Amino acid sequence: MPACREHPCLAQRSAPLLTLSCDPVARDQWNGIPSGRVGGNLKIIAARDIRRGEQVTIQYGAGMLSNDRMVAEYGFVDAAAAELDVQMLRRAARGPDAQSLVGPGAPLRATSVADDQALLKDASACLPGSRMATAVAFRLALKKALAAVGKL
C-alpha cells in the first residue's frame, strides 16, 4: 500500500481540503465517489450526507485501473493492480510498438529489478513519497508485469 500523505497540491492552499488515506475500507463504508477532475483537482461526490470533520473515504481504481492510470489519477502505484498491469502489457506486447516496450534498448531495460528495488530503499537517492519514488515504483511494477508476460 502507498504511504498515506497529503497531496502536494494541497500544500499551496490556506487550509487542507483533502488528505489521502490508504487504509482498506469495506465497500459499504465508502462515503465518497471519485467523479473525475475539475481544474486539476479530484472531484468527489458525496454518496451520503457527511458530517463536518468526518473522514471522506473512496476506493482508488475500484479494482479496474492498471498502474498507469493509478499513477496518472492518484499519484501512487497500487500492488493490487498487478494483474491489470499484466493484461495491459500483454496487449501492448502484441501491438505495433512492442519493440519500443520490450525490445533491446527499451527504457525498461536500462535498469534491473534489483536496481529499482535498491533505489527505492535508498532514501537519499529516492525520497519516499516523492515523484521520483512514484516513477521508480511504477517502472518496477511494469517490469514485474513484463516478467509475468515473459517479455523481460
Side-chain angles (χ1 to χ4, degrees):
M1 284 304 239
C4 295
R5 57 186 167 75
E6 186 172 285
H7 194 280
C9 71
L10 297 177
Q12 299 170 1
R13 299 184 187 265
S14 60
L17 301 175
L18 172 69
T19 300
L20 299 180
S21 174
C22 306
D23 296 329
V25 176
R27 183 180 178 93
D28 62 345
Q29 295 176 340
W30 302 334
N31 60 14
I33 303 166
S35 66
R37 300 222 176 250
V38 176
N41 296 311
L42 179 63
K43 181 180 178 185
I44 298 174
I45 298 173
R48 60 172 174 75
D49 289 341
I50 298 173
R51 294 181 311 277
R52 182 175 181 82
E54 179 183 356
Q55 178 179 350
V56 175
T57 56
I58 64 169
Q59 181 186 26
Y60 296 106
M64 299 176 65
L65 296 181
S66 56
N67 274 312
D68 62 326
R69 295 290 309 278
M70 292 297 292
V71 169
E73 293 293 326
Y74 303 111
F76 61 82
V77 174
D78 182 5
E83 181 54 36
L84 294 169
D85 290 341
V86 169
Q87 292 172 22
M88 173 189 67
L89 290 174
R90 270 198 186 107
R91 288 188 302 274
R94 292 190 303 261
D97 297 323
Q99 285 305 305
S100 66
L101 180 65
V102 297
L108 288 175
R109 294 188 183 276
T111 58
S112 69
V113 168
D115 291 337
D116 288 348
Q117 289 170 330
L119 187 58
L120 286 172
K121 288 181 184 176
D122 182 1
S124 67
C126 191
L127 186 64
S130 68
R131 288 182 179 176
M132 174 68 147
T134 300
V136 173
F138 178 55
R139 182 171 69 195
L140 185 57
L142 290 178
K143 288 177 183 181
K144 289 178 179 180
L146 282 171
V149 174
K151 297 290 184 179
L152 188 65

